[in-house]
Amino acid sequence: MSTITIHLKDKEEETLMENLLKKMKISFEKNEDDFDLTDEMKRVIDEALKQDRSQSVDGKESLKRIRAKYGL
């Protein structure tokens, strides 16, 4: 079996390629391991790590507050 690696620039290009390969009945496999954090993502993570944890809530409590506030 042959392997071809394609680097796509965005989600739109990825969707287009997936649809094309499906229509041509060509099997493919997506490799999600090549993800790199952007500088902006790293900055946001670093800022979040600096926050005071004493006021933090878990995910369930956070969703409960969002539902209460926005009526979801």
Side-chain angles (χ1 to χ4, degrees), residues 46-61:
D46 289 340
E47 288 298 316
L49 291 172
K50 293 177 188 174
Q51 292 178 357
D52 179 17
R53 301 263 184 232
S54 66
Q55 301 295 321
S56 296
V57 295
D58 65 16
K60 288 183 180 182
E61 178 63 26

PDB file of all heavy atoms in Angstrom, residues 46-61:
ATOM      1  N   ASP A  46      -0.695  30.432  28.763  1.00  0.00           N
ATOM      2  CA  ASP A  46       0.168  30.987  29.805  1.00  0.00           C
ATOM      3  C   ASP A  46      -0.609  31.929  30.722  1.00  0.00           C
ATOM      4  O   ASP A  46      -0.445  31.899  31.947  1.00  0.00           O
ATOM      5  CB  ASP A  46       1.361  31.725  29.191  1.00  0.00           C
ATOM      6  CG  ASP A  46       2.371  30.772  28.566  1.00  0.00           C
ATOM      7  OD1 ASP A  46       2.363  29.575  28.929  1.00  0.00           O
ATOM      8  OD2 ASP A  46       3.163  31.230  27.721  1.00  0.00           O
ATOM      9  N   GLU A  47      -1.468  32.765  30.151  1.00  0.00           N
ATOM     10  CA  GLU A  47      -2.296  33.676  30.954  1.00  0.00           C
ATOM     11  C   GLU A  47      -3.249  32.891  31.855  1.00  0.00           C
ATOM     12  O   GLU A  47      -3.448  33.239  33.012  1.00  0.00           O
ATOM     13  CB  GLU A  47      -3.082  34.627  30.056  1.00  0.00           C
ATOM     14  CG  GLU A  47      -2.239  35.687  29.384  1.00  0.00           C
ATOM     15  CD  GLU A  47      -1.552  36.608  30.372  1.00  0.00           C
ATOM     16  OE1 GLU A  47      -2.209  37.048  31.340  1.00  0.00           O
ATOM     17  OE2 GLU A  47      -0.356  36.887  30.184  1.00  0.00           O
ATOM     18  N   ALA A  48      -3.845  31.843  31.327  1.00  0.00           N
ATOM     19  CA  ALA A  48      -4.773  31.028  32.114  1.00  0.00           C
ATOM     20  C   ALA A  48      -4.051  30.353  33.280  1.00  0.00           C
ATOM     21  O   ALA A  48      -4.604  30.238  34.376  1.00  0.00           O
ATOM     22  CB  ALA A  48      -5.443  29.982  31.221  1.00  0.00           C
ATOM     23  N   LEU A  49      -2.821  29.929  33.059  1.00  0.00           N
ATOM     24  CA  LEU A  49      -2.055  29.266  34.119  1.00  0.00           C
ATOM     25  C   LEU A  49      -1.686  30.223  35.244  1.00  0.00           C
ATOM     26  O   LEU A  49      -1.442  29.800  36.374  1.00  0.00           O
ATOM     27  CB  LEU A  49      -0.795  28.620  33.534  1.00  0.00           C
ATOM     28  CG  LEU A  49      -1.035  27.409  32.630  1.00  0.00           C
ATOM     29  CD1 LEU A  49       0.265  26.975  31.963  1.00  0.00           C
ATOM     30  CD2 LEU A  49      -1.646  26.260  33.417  1.00  0.00           C
ATOM     31  N   LYS A  50      -1.657  31.519  34.962  1.00  0.00           N
ATOM     32  CA  LYS A  50      -1.314  32.520  35.970  1.00  0.00           C
ATOM     33  C   LYS A  50      -2.504  32.916  36.844  1.00  0.00           C
ATOM     34  O   LYS A  50      -2.332  33.576  37.853  1.00  0.00           O
ATOM     35  CB  LYS A  50      -0.770  33.781  35.294  1.00  0.00           C
ATOM     36  CG  LYS A  50       0.562  33.586  34.610  1.00  0.00           C
ATOM     37  CD  LYS A  50       0.985  34.851  33.902  1.00  0.00           C
ATOM     38  CE  LYS A  50       2.224  34.635  33.056  1.00  0.00           C
ATOM     39  NZ  LYS A  50       2.551  35.815  32.256  1.00  0.00           N
ATOM     40  N   GLN A  51      -3.714  32.515  36.451  1.00  0.00           N
ATOM     41  CA  GLN A  51      -4.916  32.927  37.170  1.00  0.00           C
ATOM     42  C   GLN A  51      -5.007  32.267  38.547  1.00  0.00           C
ATOM     43  O   GLN A  51      -4.510  31.167  38.767  1.00  0.00           O
ATOM     44  CB  GLN A  51      -6.169  32.573  36.369  1.00  0.00           C
ATOM     45  CG  GLN A  51      -6.310  33.380  35.103  1.00  0.00           C
ATOM     46  CD  GLN A  51      -7.539  32.972  34.299  1.00  0.00           C
ATOM     47  OE1 GLN A  51      -8.259  32.052  34.665  1.00  0.00           O
ATOM     48  NE2 GLN A  51      -7.758  33.658  33.191  1.00  0.00           N
ATOM     49  N   ASP A  52      -5.681  32.978  39.445  1.00  0.00           N
ATOM     50  CA  ASP A  52      -5.910  32.491  40.807  1.00  0.00           C
ATOM     51  C   ASP A  52      -6.882  31.308  40.764  1.00  0.00           C
ATOM     52  O   ASP A  52      -8.012  31.438  40.318  1.00  0.00           O
ATOM     53  CB  ASP A  52      -6.489  33.624  41.652  1.00  0.00           C
ATOM     54  CG  ASP A  52      -6.781  33.191  43.077  1.00  0.00           C
ATOM     55  OD1 ASP A  52      -6.254  32.150  43.519  1.00  0.00           O
ATOM     56  OD2 ASP A  52      -7.538  33.908  43.750  1.00  0.00           O
ATOM     57  N   ARG A  53      -6.450  30.167  41.232  1.00  0.00           N
ATOM     58  CA  ARG A  53      -7.261  28.948  41.190  1.00  0.00           C
ATOM     59  C   ARG A  53      -8.319  28.890  42.293  1.00  0.00           C
ATOM     60  O   ARG A  53      -9.220  28.065  42.246  1.00  0.00           O
ATOM     61  CB  ARG A  53      -6.369  27.715  41.301  1.00  0.00           C
ATOM     62  CG  ARG A  53      -5.335  27.620  40.207  1.00  0.00           C
ATOM     63  CD  ARG A  53      -5.807  26.729  39.112  1.00  0.00           C
ATOM     64  NE  ARG A  53      -4.756  26.599  38.124  1.00  0.00           N
ATOM     65  CZ  ARG A  53      -4.941  26.806  36.851  1.00  0.00           C
ATOM     66  NH1 ARG A  53      -6.118  27.120  36.412  1.00  0.00           N
ATOM     67  NH2 ARG A  53      -3.956  26.683  36.001  1.00  0.00           N
ATOM     68  N   SER A  54      -8.227  29.757  43.291  1.00  0.00           N
ATOM     69  CA  SER A  54      -9.181  29.694  44.407  1.00  0.00           C
ATOM     70  C   SER A  54     -10.603  30.037  43.970  1.00  0.00           C
ATOM     71  O   SER A  54     -11.565  29.651  44.619  1.00  0.00           O
ATOM     72  CB  SER A  54      -8.745  30.630  45.541  1.00  0.00           C
ATOM     73  OG  SER A  54      -8.805  31.983  45.114  1.00  0.00           O
ATOM     74  N   GLN A  55     -10.766  30.738  42.859  1.00  0.00           N
ATOM     75  CA  GLN A  55     -12.084  31.107  42.349  1.00  0.00           C
ATOM     76  C   GLN A  55     -12.554  30.186  41.218  1.00  0.00           C
ATOM     77  O   GLN A  55     -13.616  30.396  40.653  1.00  0.00           O
ATOM     78  CB  GLN A  55     -12.057  32.555  41.827  1.00  0.00           C
ATOM     79  CG  GLN A  55     -11.665  33.573  42.874  1.00  0.00           C
ATOM     80  CD  GLN A  55     -12.684  33.654  44.002  1.00  0.00           C
ATOM     81  OE1 GLN A  55     -13.884  33.578  43.763  1.00  0.00           O
ATOM     82  NE2 GLN A  55     -12.202  33.788  45.220  1.00  0.00           N
ATOM     83  N   SER A  56     -11.775  29.182  40.895  1.00  0.00           N
ATOM     84  CA  SER A  56     -12.095  28.286  39.788  1.00  0.00           C
ATOM     85  C   SER A  56     -13.267  27.364  40.113  1.00  0.00           C
ATOM     86  O   SER A  56     -13.479  27.000  41.269  1.00  0.00           O
ATOM     87  CB  SER A  56     -10.881  27.421  39.428  1.00  0.00           C
ATOM     88  OG  SER A  56      -9.828  28.229  38.970  1.00  0.00           O
ATOM     89  N   VAL A  57     -14.022  26.989  39.082  1.00  0.00           N
ATOM     90  CA  VAL A  57     -15.101  26.009  39.224  1.00  0.00           C
ATOM     91  C   VAL A  57     -14.875  24.909  38.199  1.00  0.00           C
ATOM     92  O   VAL A  57     -14.198  25.102  37.202  1.00  0.00           O
ATOM     93  CB  VAL A  57     -16.501  26.655  39.008  1.00  0.00           C
ATOM     94  CG1 VAL A  57     -16.800  27.673  40.083  1.00  0.00           C
ATOM     95  CG2 VAL A  57     -16.612  27.287  37.640  1.00  0.00           C
ATOM     96  N   ASP A  58     -15.468  23.749  38.448  1.00  0.00           N
ATOM     97  CA  ASP A  58     -15.301  22.644  37.512  1.00  0.00           C
ATOM     98  C   ASP A  58     -16.213  22.842  36.293  1.00  0.00           C
ATOM     99  O   ASP A  58     -17.026  23.768  36.243  1.00  0.00           O
ATOM    100  CB  ASP A  58     -15.545  21.296  38.183  1.00  0.00           C
ATOM    101  CG  ASP A  58     -16.977  21.102  38.656  1.00  0.00           C
ATOM    102  OD1 ASP A  58     -17.873  21.839  38.224  1.00  0.00           O
ATOM    103  OD2 ASP A  58     -17.206  20.193  39.474  1.00  0.00           O
ATOM    104  N   GLY A  59     -16.061  21.974  35.328  1.00  0.00           N
ATOM    105  CA  GLY A  59     -16.817  22.084  34.082  1.00  0.00           C
ATOM    106  C   GLY A  59     -18.320  22.021  34.269  1.00  0.00           C
ATOM    107  O   GLY A  59     -19.068  22.773  33.638  1.00  0.00           O
ATOM    108  N   LYS A  60     -18.788  21.135  35.142  1.00  0.00           N
ATOM    109  CA  LYS A  60     -20.233  21.000  35.362  1.00  0.00           C
ATOM    110  C   LYS A  60     -20.818  22.269  35.957  1.00  0.00           C
ATOM    111  O   LYS A  60     -21.882  22.728  35.553  1.00  0.00           O
ATOM    112  CB  LYS A  60     -20.526  19.797  36.259  1.00  0.00           C
ATOM    113  CG  LYS A  60     -20.323  18.475  35.576  1.00  0.00           C
ATOM    114  CD  LYS A  60     -20.698  17.316  36.469  1.00  0.00           C
ATOM    115  CE  LYS A  60     -20.479  16.001  35.736  1.00  0.00           C
ATOM    116  NZ  LYS A  60     -20.862  14.854  36.545  1.00  0.00           N
ATOM    117  N   GLU A  61     -20.115  22.853  36.919  1.00  0.00           N
ATOM    118  CA  GLU A  61     -20.594  24.092  37.541  1.00  0.00           C
ATOM    119  C   GLU A  61     -20.584  25.240  36.527  1.00  0.00           C
ATOM    120  O   GLU A  61     -21.502  26.061  36.481  1.00  0.00           O
ATOM    121  CB  GLU A  61     -19.736  24.449  38.754  1.00  0.00           C
ATOM    122  CG  GLU A  61     -20.129  25.745  39.427  1.00  0.00           C
ATOM    123  CD  GLU A  61     -21.531  25.752  40.009  1.00  0.00           C
ATOM    124  OE1 GLU A  61     -22.062  24.673  40.355  1.00  0.00           O
ATOM    125  OE2 GLU A  61     -22.107  26.857  40.120  1.00  0.00           O
TER     126      GLU A  61
END
